Amino acid sequence: MTASIVTNHKAIPRHAIHTADVSELGLCTLGGKFAYLPCRLNVRQSAQMVQLLAKFRNTLARKTTAFAIPNENNEVERSGSHACSDDQVLMPLENYNSSGHLEGEAVDSLSKSEAGFFQRVEHLGNQARVLDKLRAVYLHVLASEQWNASSLKLSHKNYMESATNLIHYLALKSLDTEALKDDLALISLLNLEMVNSSVLASLTTGIQLLENLQLNSVRAIGNVSAEICMQEKLDQQNKGNFMINAMKKKAFLNRELLLGPLQDSRLTHIMTTVGEEALESETLITNLIKAGTSIIRINCAHGNPQLWSEIIRRVKQSSQMLESPCRILMDLAGPKLRTDNLKPGPCVVKISPKKNASGNVIFPAQVWLSHKGAGPPPPHLSPDAVLFIDDQEFLTEVKVGDTLRFFDARGKKRMLKISRVFHIFSGTGFMAECTRTAYVSSGTELLIKRKKGRFLVGQVVDVPARESFIRLRVGDLLIILRDGKSDQDNSYGHTSRAYRIACSSGYLFDAVKPGERIAFDDGKIWGVIKGTSSSEIVVSITHAGPRGTKLGSQKSINIPDSNIRYEGLTSKDLVDLEFVASHADMVGVSFVRDTRDVIVLRQELEKRKLQNLGIVLKIETKSGFEKLPLLLLEAMKSSNPLGVMIARGDLAVECGWERLADIQEEILSVSGTAHIPVIWATQVLESLVKSGIPTRAEITDVANGRRASCIMLNKGRHIVQAVSTLDSILRANSKEMKAERKPLVLSSHLF
């Protein structure tokens, strides 16, 4: 069959006729429905649009328009002609008998349609280019799955789809898709930033929608009224939607397996860290669960099995009493570098009233007095100091208004005036006021004068030792010792220009080099290593607070520039794992750096037949972040419920403060792609926990953390209040609260 064409182009006179070869016109007729003509038109001039008229048996059929798009650079090919699109050309054939033999000619003429016709044709061409790019991405994603097929086969059946989706995501991220994102945004079709949970299904749906858009555009241009049967493609599209829903369900089930079901309308779990302070109050655990805590975290780096057992007993008791499920996460200490314990300070407590700028007392210090077996003060009280008295009979005769006289540790005369009495669960307690600064130590005698010269005497006991610390300033020298002799007196360290502290980990001394940076206490103090030996490291402090910064016992040490090699699980971790296996719901793996750490953990869990113990990978090192996809794929080889914790303290020090926001976003994306729940941790509502007043940045940080499956709070004086505040913020994001929230509207006078 031959054809002539009329083109609409500025370089060609109106109604100019050009000829073109039409090859392989395979017409298929469906009794008045569409037939597809795969063909290629080679035109000597750039044609924005051609219109074909099918002619057979000397009868001109109804008009249908086909389009041709030049190449992207608008350049002439070697043959001197422009290639038309290789896509199928859609033509309606009316009054045609499908059993007859087709011998037709094609003639074209200039379009007489409305002015917007060419805009629709151009838009259709843009859609075609986007569709081609999207198909290429789709094929790349499929190829990546095939390339990693052997690794995917090792995944446990529970995680097969999630592991595959993770591979798809990594393949998508390996491409430069910025231009494609812009193209998709112009047609408001698909956002490639939002397809993480179901990459392949989303791409498939996007391709099908584009194909449907193209088909509808061709029908509109040709003014075709015939209906097309698209049942097969709709079935495929429905299947894609089913896949997307299935992936969402997979993420939901993985979250519930690890963290447990959520209560009421909240969408995010609250995890709270507790320690020995939980045993000082009979009601702390109960109050935490009442306030909204659904997971209790215990750090195995602190305490002992006896302490942990009592905390867990109280958690289970309170959970059962309140009928509120609460799970237990226990973090293995891991190979973290920490300062050793400093020599304990004196057993003395300082009592300080509040003073104004002139030094005048504006509010007396509040001191809690009770028998040593009565426990801490009620949670609604916030005393400045707590004193325990050994004599119960002495306390039974104390009354409101009494004055207790004593000599403090310096020999100064001081007084405490009883202001209130409280009948607590295990006895009676008193709140006293002190208007002058005092230092009280164990053995201090409190005297109450009665009538006829009689005195009541009570003795202060169990005053805890003050926490020792070194105050470091910029320019100070710090010597880190390997042999643990950090119990020497550092009181003259600043005069000698060298403080001393110990670190018992040999990894530190075997790996660091002069010139490398070193950080202490989650980056509060920074220094540069000046010299090293097998037993000492000399550090010059380069960053500290204006008045110096305290460095105490068991504070973190980070060497971000050094590639220190650690063992996956320490000997202490293996011992603690035995306890965790029989008492906890989840185990947290600290300082995961590469797949070997995960392999060792999997082997230990398999030995103990712990297929149901949840695993939480704590991402707190640069290596752990960079290898997160590999860590997840390795962990998904077992059936254990799996989660990821963003441990932002060490992570910020290791990777840099300025990168933390982007890093936590990437962790959320990668974990979400693998349908793995994420725990948002470190310094969440820290000011509120410690002082009772949050900062604005903390509130927005929590709001940002709502995208995670769980938010973790660390222990502090106002932890119950912080949990209650966090619970309110999380509930504000629930569907019920959103429905009650009034939308913003324009002022009524504008209507």
Side-chain angles (χ1 to χ4, degrees):
M1 180 171 63
T2 61
S4 298
I5 66 170
V6 176
T7 63
N8 182 8
H9 194 274
K10 293 181 180 180
I12 307 173
R14 193 173 180 84
H15 301 297
I17 302 293
H18 292 268
T19 62
D21 295 330
V22 181
S23 59
E24 299 181 3
L25 284 176
L27 293 176
C28 300
T29 61
L30 301 174
K33 297 185 179 180
F34 283 92
Y36 290 89
L37 286 74
C39 64
R40 184 177 182 88
L41 302 178
N42 291 322
V43 187
R44 292 187 179 88
Q45 297 290 342
S46 176
Q48 290 181 339
M49 183 277 301
V50 296
Q51 189 172 45
L52 302 181
L53 300 180
K55 184 178 182 181
F56 49 95
R57 288 200 180 93
N58 297 323
T59 302
L60 191 63
R62 187 172 177 174
K63 294 189 296 183
T64 295
T65 303
F67 65 90
I69 304 297
N71 60 30
E72 294 181 357
N73 298 324
N74 200 29
E75 296 172 350
V76 179
E77 296 181 350
R78 292 183 180 179
S79 63
S81 62
H82 294 278
C84 298
S85 172
D86 286 335
D87 290 340
Q88 292 177 327
V89 178
L90 193 62
M91 295 184 64
L93 301 179
E94 297 177 356
N95 302 322
Y96 175 69
N97 186 355
S98 60
S99 60
H101 180 70
L102 174 64
E103 290 181 0
E105 297 177 8
V107 182
D108 76 286
S109 62
L110 185 64
S111 173
K112 304 294 184 179
S113 55
E114 64 275 6
F117 178 83
F118 293 106
Q119 293 181 357
R120 295 200 299 270
V121 172
E122 183 178 3
H123 181 62
L124 191 59
N126 291 335
Q127 289 182 2
R129 285 195 294 272
V130 175
L131 180 59
D132 288 341
K133 293 178 182 178
L134 206 56
R135 284 170 176 164
V137 171
Y138 178 85
L139 293 176
H140 175 74
V141 168
L142 283 182
S144 179
E145 177 185 340
Q146 294 299 319
W147 183 263
N148 294 277
S150 58
S151 298
L152 289 173
K153 288 181 181 179
L154 300 177
S155 299
H156 190 273
K157 61 180 182 179
N158 294 347
Y159 293 109
M160 183 63 71
E161 295 87 354
S162 300
T164 304
N165 192 66
L166 177 57
I167 294 297
H168 293 163
Y169 170 81
L170 297 175
L172 179 62
K173 296 292 286 186
S174 69
L175 299 174
D176 182 5
T177 57
E178 291 303 317
L180 178 57
K181 290 177 184 177
D182 293 340
D183 292 338
L184 291 170
L186 288 175
I187 58 177
S188 303
L189 180 65
L190 183 67
N191 186 352
L192 293 181
E193 297 291 340
M194 305 295 291
V195 303
N196 298 356
S197 61
S198 49
V199 176
L200 195 64
S202 298
L203 290 176
T204 302
T205 302
I207 291 172
Q208 292 169 352
L209 288 174
L210 267 176
E211 289 175 344
N212 292 343
L213 283 174
Q214 272 202 308
L215 182 58
N216 292 335
S217 297
V218 171
R219 291 174 59 192
I221 293 172
N223 193 25
V224 180
S225 60
E227 295 183 357
I228 306 174
C229 180
M230 296 290 293
Q231 189 62 46
E232 182 177 352
K233 288 194 175 184
L234 287 175
D235 290 342
Q236 293 177 0
Q237 185 172 337
N238 290 334
K239 183 179 179 181
N241 289 332
F242 171 76
M243 290 176 62
I244 294 174
N245 292 332
M247 292 297 190
K248 290 181 179 179
K249 185 177 181 181
K250 174 69 69 175
F252 173 80
L253 292 176
N254 287 346
R255 184 189 70 186
E256 286 210 337
L257 282 174
L258 180 73
L259 305 175
L262 282 163
Q263 299 295 306
D264 302 326
S265 59
R266 209 174 63 198
L267 302 176
T268 308
H269 284 274
I270 296 177
M271 179 185 295
T272 307
T273 303
V274 299
E276 59 183 356
E277 75 282 351
L279 304 188
E280 297 174 357
S281 171
E282 291 289 339
T283 60
L284 178 60
I285 296 294
T286 301
N287 292 335
L288 287 174
I289 297 177
K290 277 184 179 179
T293 296
S294 56
I295 302 170
I296 291 292
R297 171 180 173 262
I298 299 173
N299 190 349
C300 293
H302 308 289
N304 53 61
Q306 291 74 28
L307 172 66
W308 306 335
S309 296
E310 180 59 21
I311 292 174
I312 293 172
R313 185 192 69 79
R314 295 190 182 192
V315 170
K316 292 183 177 180
Q317 184 182 43
S318 299
S319 175
Q320 185 176 8
M321 178 183 66
L322 298 172
E323 297 183 349
S324 180
C326 185
R327 296 197 173 187
I328 302 292
L329 166 68
M330 296 191 71
D331 278 357
L332 300 178
K336 183 170 184 175
L337 299 176
R338 294 181 182 272
T339 58
D340 284 356
N341 292 325
L342 294 168
K343 183 180 180 179
C347 296
V348 62
V349 59
K350 182 180 179 181
I351 302 174
S352 300
K354 302 294 188 299
K355 299 180 181 180
N356 60 16
S358 301
N360 299 318
V361 175
I362 58 176
F363 194 77
Q366 303 296 302
V367 182
W368 173 261
L369 296 174
S370 67
H371 187 260
K372 61 180 181 180
H380 67 278
L381 298 178
S382 300
D384 299 299
V386 176
L387 298 179
F388 295 116
I389 312 300
D390 67 339
D391 192 348
Q392 183 67 49
E393 294 182 5
F394 171 80
L395 292 172
T396 58
E397 296 195 35
V398 174
K399 301 176 182 179
V400 174
D402 284 345
T403 299
L404 285 65
R405 305 176 187 275
F406 65 97
F407 291 90
D408 75 353
R410 304 167 299 169
K412 304 287 186 180
K413 290 183 179 181
R414 295 292 185 263
M415 294 185 299
L416 291 171
K417 187 173 182 178
I418 303 299
S419 60
R420 289 177 290 174
V421 61
F422 296 90
H423 298 287
I424 54 179
F425 178 76
S426 53
T428 302
F430 300 88
M431 190 67 80
E433 296 180 348
C434 183
T435 58
R436 301 181 67 183
T437 301
Y439 292 84
V440 181
S441 60
S442 295
T444 299
E445 292 185 342
L446 306 178
L447 290 84
I448 302 176
K449 186 178 181 179
R450 295 300 191 201
K451 294 180 179 180
K452 299 180 181 181
R454 187 170 67 93
F455 285 90
L456 300 177
V457 181
Q459 193 175 68
V460 178
V461 296
D462 297 341
V463 175
R466 299 192 69 177
E467 182 181 355
S468 296
F469 60 86
I470 303 169
R471 187 178 293 276
L472 295 172
R473 298 171 174 82
V474 175
D476 285 344
L477 290 180
L478 176 66
I479 298 177
I480 305 175
L481 305 172
R482 187 173 191 166
D483 56 9
K485 294 180 180 179
S486 61
D487 57 349
Q488 59 185 331
D489 188 6
N490 273 295
S491 58
Y492 300 99
H494 188 58
T495 303
S496 63
R497 306 299 297 172
Y499 292 95
R500 287 172 170 80
I501 199 166
C503 176
S504 56
S505 174
Y507 299 112
L508 178 65
F509 298 86
D510 298 336
V512 297
K513 300 175 182 177
E516 291 181 337
R517 296 175 300 158
I518 184 170
F520 302 92
D521 196 6
D522 288 341
K524 294 177 182 176
I525 303 171
W526 283 85
V528 175
I529 297 174
K530 293 297 184 180
T532 64
S533 70
S534 60
S535 59
E536 291 184 354
I537 298 174
V538 180
V539 178
S540 175
I541 303 302
T542 59
H543 174 81
R547 298 182 180 180
T549 303
K550 296 178 181 179
L551 178 61
S553 305
Q554 296 298 311
K555 299 303 180 182
S556 63
I557 301 176
N558 295 91
I559 318 288
D561 301 330
S562 178
N563 187 21
I564 302 178
R565 292 305 314 161
Y566 300 92
E567 54 184 321
L569 295 177
T570 65
S571 56
K572 180 184 185 312
D573 292 338
L574 295 177
V575 173
D576 292 342
L577 185 59
E578 295 291 341
F579 181 92
V580 173
S582 57
H583 292 84
D585 302 292
M586 295 167 273
V587 58
V589 190
S590 302
F591 296 94
V592 182
R593 285 172 169 80
D594 55 38
T595 55
R596 286 177 292 181
D597 299 337
V598 180
I599 292 173
V600 171
L601 176 66
R602 286 201 306 109
Q603 292 172 346
E604 294 297 329
L605 295 181
E606 289 173 0
K607 287 180 185 178
R608 296 164 175 79
K609 298 181 180 180
L610 299 173
Q611 295 86 358
N612 296 322
L613 181 66
I615 299 173
V616 176
L617 303 179
K618 296 178 64 178
I619 306 303
E620 46 195 333
T621 66
K622 183 177 181 181
S623 175
F625 165 67
E626 292 175 345
K627 297 179 181 179
L628 178 58
L630 296 176
L631 297 176
L632 293 177
L633 290 172
E634 186 62 41
M636 287 191 286
K637 293 179 181 178
S638 66
S639 62
N640 298 74
L642 181 62
V644 167
M645 178 184 289
I646 310 177
R648 301 185 292 179
D650 288 284
L651 193 60
V653 177
E654 291 266 338
C655 300
W657 303 95
E658 65 280 358
R659 293 190 59 204
L660 180 60
D662 292 333
I663 287 174
Q664 65 187 21
E665 289 295 320
E666 187 64 19
I667 294 175
L668 281 170
S669 295
V670 172
S671 302
T673 297
H675 311 129
I676 300 300
V678 174
I679 301 170
W680 187 274
T682 310
Q683 292 186 316
V684 177
L685 294 178
E686 185 177 37
S687 296
L688 176 58
V689 171
K690 292 183 176 181
S691 67
I693 301 176
T695 65
R696 293 158 181 79
E698 287 177 347
I699 299 300
T700 55
D701 176 59
V702 166
N704 195 29
R706 291 185 300 200
R707 295 173 299 155
S709 300
C710 178
I711 297 179
M712 189 190 88
L713 296 173
N714 283 323
K715 54 189 177 181
R717 188 174 183 178
H718 303 277
I719 183 61
V720 176
Q721 178 187 348
V723 172
S724 179
T725 301
L726 177 57
D727 180 69
S728 299
I729 295 173
L730 296 179
R731 290 184 186 278
N733 196 41
S734 64
K735 293 181 179 179
E736 290 79 2
M737 293 299 295
K738 287 181 178 179
E740 295 178 4
R741 196 178 302 145
K742 293 183 179 180
L744 297 176
V745 296
L746 294 173
S747 300
S748 57
H749 71 271
L750 294 178
F751 293 96

